[in-house]
Amino acid sequence: MVVTMDTKNVICTLVGDGMVGKTCLAKVFADKVFPDQYVATVQDRYSGQAWFAGDQYSITITDSAGEHEGSDVRRMSYCKSDVILLCYSVLDRESYDSLRTHWSREVGSLAKRCPVLVVALQTDKRTTKHVTTEEGRRMTKSVKANGFIECSARNVSNVKDVFENVVRMCLKNRKRKVTLLKRILGR
């Protein structure tokens, strides 16, 4: 049996508490539109394009529900993902704390070898009382994620960079897998 993968397609899953801005991030990237109102997500898919190192990649985004209760649909999406985005709102310290106490553990137990990017959302509304950039970086280290980025979907600030990071992390992980496979097969 030969396994092939379309190297220009990348799949990522957004996880985190509800109402932190996951859907806004996906819609702004895929549709170039900021949603007017909040609509609870069960699970939605979006597609968009990102350029990295001169090549264009198709990114499929699975936007998962923000409920802590077990979701088999969400958990199955981890297995299909090339990269997982752990999302929190800088305005909501509870969503930030939830990354450590819930989301990173769930992802870690179900997608051990999948790269993880911590994404701080809603930075356009941050004040001094909200979660800081340094706290986000510390969280990234504590949950052993592969990267950290802040963005604002409303201002379209760093949205493109989020998904360029997704492609970069995916390609790095694919290269690691190929190198490991070559070592195992002695080629």
Side-chain angles (χ1 to χ4, degrees):
M1 176 169 86
V2 175
V3 177
T4 61
M5 74 172 72
D6 187 343
T7 59
K8 299 291 184 179
N9 287 324
V10 177
I11 300 170
C12 70
T13 298
L14 305 175
V15 296
D17 285 359
M19 296 177 31
V20 299
K22 299 184 304 285
T23 301
C24 292
L25 174 64
K27 281 185 167 285
V28 166
F29 174 72
D31 302 333
K32 313 294 186 245
V33 174
F34 188 84
D36 292 336
Q37 56 189 337
Y38 175 77
V39 178
T41 302
V42 174
Q43 183 164 356
D44 290 323
R45 287 191 178 257
Y46 300 91
S47 293
Q49 307 296 313
W51 287 87
F52 182 77
D55 292 323
Q56 186 176 23
Y57 293 84
S58 294
I59 300 177
T60 301
I61 303 165
T62 301
D63 181 13
S64 66
E67 302 302 318
H68 284 217
E69 292 77 37
S71 165
D72 292 335
V73 174
R74 181 180 64 236
R75 290 177 179 178
M76 286 187 343
S77 73
Y78 296 156
C79 301
K80 298 174 185 174
S81 293
D82 294 305
V83 179
I84 295 175
L85 281 63
L86 288 177
C87 302
Y88 70 92
S89 167
V90 298
L91 310 178
D92 182 0
R93 188 159 297 276
E94 189 175 316
S95 73
Y96 168 82
D97 293 337
S98 224
L99 287 190
R100 182 182 307 106
T101 61
H102 178 74
W103 298 110
S104 66
R105 290 178 181 174
E106 182 177 283
V107 167
S109 69
L110 296 169
K112 292 179 180 14
R113 304 226 189 293
C114 189
V116 174
L117 179 64
V118 174
V119 182
L121 300 165
Q122 299 181 341
T123 58
D124 58 298
K125 296 181 182 178
R126 178 191 275 147
T127 67
T128 56
K129 68 180 181 173
H130 295 123
V131 179
T132 67
T133 300
E134 186 52 39
E135 287 175 299
R137 288 187 180 122
R138 280 197 305 266
M139 168 66 75
T140 300
K141 286 182 183 179
S142 75
V143 300
K144 296 181 173 85
N146 304 87
F148 170 74
I149 191 166
E150 296 186 321
C151 75
S152 165
R154 180 178 300 280
N155 292 349
V156 195
S157 170
N158 284 348
V159 170
K160 182 176 119 183
D161 296 339
V162 168
F163 293 98
E164 286 174 358
N165 272 283
V166 166
V167 172
R168 181 185 53 76
M169 294 170 97
C170 171
L171 296 177
K172 184 176 179 181
N173 195 48
R174 286 177 182 172
K175 182 177 179 182
R176 183 190 60 78
K177 286 178 181 178
V178 167
T179 301
L180 181 62
L181 190 58
K182 285 180 180 178
R183 279 190 206 148
I184 291 170
L185 298 175
R187 296 181 185 173

